[in-house]
Amino acid sequence: MYYDKFTVYYTSATGEQECHIILVGDDAGITQLMIDNDTKPIQISADWLHSSTYFNEAKQQLREYFTHKRKVFELTLNPLGTVFQRHAWQQLIKIPYGEIRRYKDIAAGLGNPNASRAVGMANNKNPIPIIIPCHRVIGANNKLVGYAYGLELKQQLLALELSH
């Protein structure tokens, strides 16, 4: 397993921002994307090997996303989760750039319109945020709810997408 930490810069409504990202993965694809913004603990395993070049394509695509030059990621992903979680994450990938969905919309896409809470829990466990765009999902009342890396970042990501 490899990892790399890098920083992307972008403009939000409150000015210039930086986002510290840690990518983790292996030959099967990216398994994790962590955001080091002091909202949750970041754990880098002693077993992981640091590589400044292994994720070059992913880093480039993320930089393009944050500078409005990319709307769709073309990366090999290997998120680890239950069958239900992986199905929910596949539904998230289908949400177009700059659009939002409600948890119940994702549940309906899975064929179970009553699974909104389970979809919320799957969103919470999404190991590859931004690339698997859980930030594009909002509550039934059309309000921002839950984001593992904080509602401020969720709002900034949505504003970034909606501004272009």
Side-chain angles (χ1 to χ4, degrees):
M1 196 72 72
Y2 298 96
Y3 81 95
D4 193 18
K5 182 174 182 176
F6 70 106
T7 303
V8 293
Y9 301 91
Y10 64 100
T11 303
S12 76
T14 58
E16 292 297 313
Q17 305 291 330
E18 56 183 48
C19 186
H20 306 285
I21 296 175
I22 299 142
L23 291 169
V24 181
D26 55 23
D27 291 338
I30 296 170
T31 58
Q32 292 182 64
L33 183 155
M34 297 177 278
I35 301 168
D36 191 359
N37 67 352
D38 297 324
T39 55
K40 61 191 272 185
I42 300 295
Q43 297 179 357
I44 296 176
S45 172
D47 296 334
W48 298 346
L49 301 173
H50 178 259
S51 174
S52 61
T53 59
Y54 193 81
F55 298 102
N56 280 348
E57 182 61 27
K59 292 189 293 187
Q60 180 62 33
Q61 289 190 31
L62 283 159
R63 286 186 182 105
E64 290 168 358
Y65 168 83
F66 278 100
T67 56
H68 309 286
K69 295 176 183 163
R70 176 169 293 276
K71 295 182 178 184
V72 176
F73 291 99
E74 298 170 354
L75 299 166
T76 302
L77 305 179
N78 187 25
L80 305 177
T82 67
V83 171
F84 179 84
Q85 288 170 336
R86 290 194 310 271
H87 283 118
W89 300 333
Q90 283 300 315
Q91 289 295 311
L92 299 180
I93 290 171
K94 294 177 184 178
I95 304 171
Y97 178 95
E99 294 187 20
I100 55 174
R101 299 289 186 272
R102 294 180 308 252
Y103 291 101
K104 70 179 186 176
D105 299 327
I106 304 302
L110 291 168
N112 186 350
N114 296 320
S116 295
R117 287 182 188 241
V119 167
M121 294 305 296
N123 259 21
N124 181 265
K125 299 293 185 190
N126 174 10
I128 312 175
I130 301 173
I131 297 171
I132 298 176
C134 54
H135 63 277
R136 296 179 188 154
V137 183
I138 61 172
N141 57 4
N142 292 327
K143 292 190 178 183
L144 295 184
V145 294
Y147 191 63
Y149 293 101
L151 289 180
E152 181 180 356
L153 181 59
K154 182 174 185 168
Q155 185 173 1
Q156 289 175 355
L157 292 170
L158 289 171
L160 177 87
E161 292 184 13
L162 295 171
S163 68
H164 282 80

